Amino acid sequence: MADRSPDGQGDDGQYRADDTELTGARPNHDAEFLKHRGMVFTIAYDVLGTVADAEDVVQETYLRWRGVAEQVGNPRAYLARIASRQALNFLRTASRRREDYPGEWLPEPLPTGPARLAADPEAAALTASEVSTAMLVLLQTLSGPERAAFILHEVFDFGYPEIAASLEMGEPAVRQTVHRARTRLRSGPPRTVPDTGEHRAAVESFLAATMTGQIQSLLDVLAPDVVLVSDGGGKVSAALRPVYGPEKVARLMIGLADKYGAGAVAEFVELNGLPAAAFREEGTVTTVFQLELVDGRVQAVYAMRNPDKLVRLQGPAPDTGRLDAG
């Protein structure tokens, strides 16, 4: 292992925060970080929508936490403060990149199934209510401070004084920010996270109707105001604008199945805390479909095709079952 300087960097200038290092030199201090690392990751991922950037925030947060010499009375709040500020710093850079993003931008899918938990126990703290794609998409409509304030208050139940300290805002401004974010996020149809069985059944029905070309069966599972959003990142073919309405979404899905379905194998995966469908072509995941349900019908279809955002889904197929057309 490379020697490390006091700030946690190796001789290559890069810091890597794995569990061995975090439980090494300062066990009590590091144990507190490990205890709250799932929260740190979730704050960053919810603000940024990308796994790689969220992991960078986790590493930067640990570096800063490791450098704290004094006793910290409330480690959870202290770490949330660091994570929030670092996430907002990363977001400023990301916002500039997204201005030139080709087509629609969607959050990077986050594997949260059993295979993920075996390799990354901190993911056990993540639930669909915290990291669902539907919530992440909605969060993108907010400003950075609104996202952070909403996540800290609504997801992690921090009080207004703690959020004010985290975001360096006055408490009245924080109250207004949380209220504004809550109002904007709840202005659309009511969104609740369905149970896993209901969601998996919806994914199965959606894909079965699509793969067999049963347009009426597909229309039956789509909400009247359904929308399909596709992210190709300018690297693969994808719809450059959202597709609205059940007829247009159904015909697009069946057209895609006719064009690509024969060479693809569909399988269940768990992404962002809920069942989803992944398509493999010659062993490589090329597309994932995540569904948002409202009142048992598909309200939104999120199609991720950008290969850069599918890296964490590559490898052997998980043992979660094949999706058969019939």
Side-chain angles (χ1 to χ4, degrees):
M1 179 180 291
D3 292 334
R4 302 196 177 275
S5 63
D7 65 357
Q9 291 184 335
D11 51 17
D12 60 355
Q14 299 295 313
Y15 177 77
R16 301 173 184 81
D18 61 24
D19 286 353
T20 301
E21 293 172 85
L22 295 186
T23 54
R26 303 174 67 185
N28 293 334
H29 213 58
D30 294 341
E32 283 291 344
F33 183 84
L34 289 171
K35 180 179 177 182
H36 300 295
R37 191 168 68 172
M39 176 196 69
V40 170
F41 175 85
T42 303
I43 291 171
Y45 179 61
D46 283 355
V47 169
L48 297 167
T50 58
V51 178
D53 286 345
E55 290 173 344
D56 285 345
V57 169
V58 172
Q59 292 183 348
E60 184 63 29
T61 299
Y62 173 67
L63 270 178
R64 292 171 182 269
W65 170 254
R66 193 170 185 259
V68 175
E70 70 274 12
Q71 184 70 28
V72 176
N74 188 340
R76 181 174 182 267
Y78 195 95
L79 287 166
R81 182 186 309 178
I82 301 174
S84 300
R85 292 179 182 178
Q86 292 305 309
L88 291 176
N89 287 340
F90 272 77
L91 184 62
R92 294 185 187 97
T93 301
S95 296
R96 290 192 289 270
R97 294 198 306 265
R98 290 178 197 173
E99 289 176 0
D100 300 322
Y101 197 83
E104 295 295 313
W105 185 96
L106 284 173
E108 180 181 352
L110 175 67
T112 53
R116 166 81 175 185
L117 297 183
D120 188 2
E122 78 182 62
L126 305 181
T127 67
S129 63
E130 295 173 351
V131 295
S132 72
T133 298
M135 188 182 83
L136 288 165
V137 169
L138 286 173
L139 285 171
Q140 302 307 308
T141 66
L142 304 179
S143 69
E146 286 173 340
R147 293 181 210 177
F150 179 85
I151 294 160
L152 291 172
H153 189 267
E154 299 292 307
V155 176
F156 292 106
D157 200 30
F158 282 105
Y160 293 115
E162 293 169 311
I163 300 172
S166 294
L167 303 183
E168 298 181 297
M169 299 168 61
E171 190 173 331
V174 168
R175 289 180 179 273
Q176 185 178 31
T177 299
V178 172
H179 175 74
R180 184 167 59 245
R182 187 189 295 124
T183 300
R184 292 180 64 182
L185 293 185
R186 295 177 179 172
S187 61
R191 286 168 165 82
T192 58
V193 178
D195 66 64
T196 302
E198 178 188 1
H199 203 92
R200 177 163 175 146
V203 173
E204 192 165 31
S205 297
F206 177 84
L207 267 298
T210 297
M211 300 300 288
T212 56
Q214 298 178 24
I215 190 164
Q216 186 57 53
S217 296
L218 186 53
L219 289 171
D220 289 343
V221 302
L222 299 178
D225 53 349
V226 64
V227 59
L228 183 149
V229 183
S230 182
D231 181 343
K235 301 188 176 185
V236 296
S237 61
L240 295 178
R241 296 180 180 84
V243 177
Y244 294 96
E247 290 80 11
K248 290 183 179 180
V249 170
R251 295 190 184 282
L252 174 61
M253 289 298 304
I254 290 175
L256 291 174
D258 289 341
K259 185 174 182 180
Y260 300 109
V265 177
E267 63 200 29
F268 279 113
V269 291
E270 185 184 301
L271 301 174
N272 297 82
L274 290 170
F279 281 84
R280 289 181 184 268
E281 298 177 43
E282 299 181 352
T284 299
V285 175
T286 56
T287 307
V288 298
F289 289 98
Q290 296 174 273
L291 307 183
E292 177 187 355
L293 302 186
V294 174
D295 296 329
R297 304 182 78 179
V298 178
Q299 181 74 39
V301 181
Y302 303 112
M304 177 55 68
R305 303 206 69 234
N306 185 344
D308 292 344
K309 297 182 181 180
L310 296 174
V311 171
R312 287 165 180 79
L313 278 73
Q314 306 306 336
D319 186 19
T320 53
R322 289 273 297 273
L323 282 166
D324 297 317

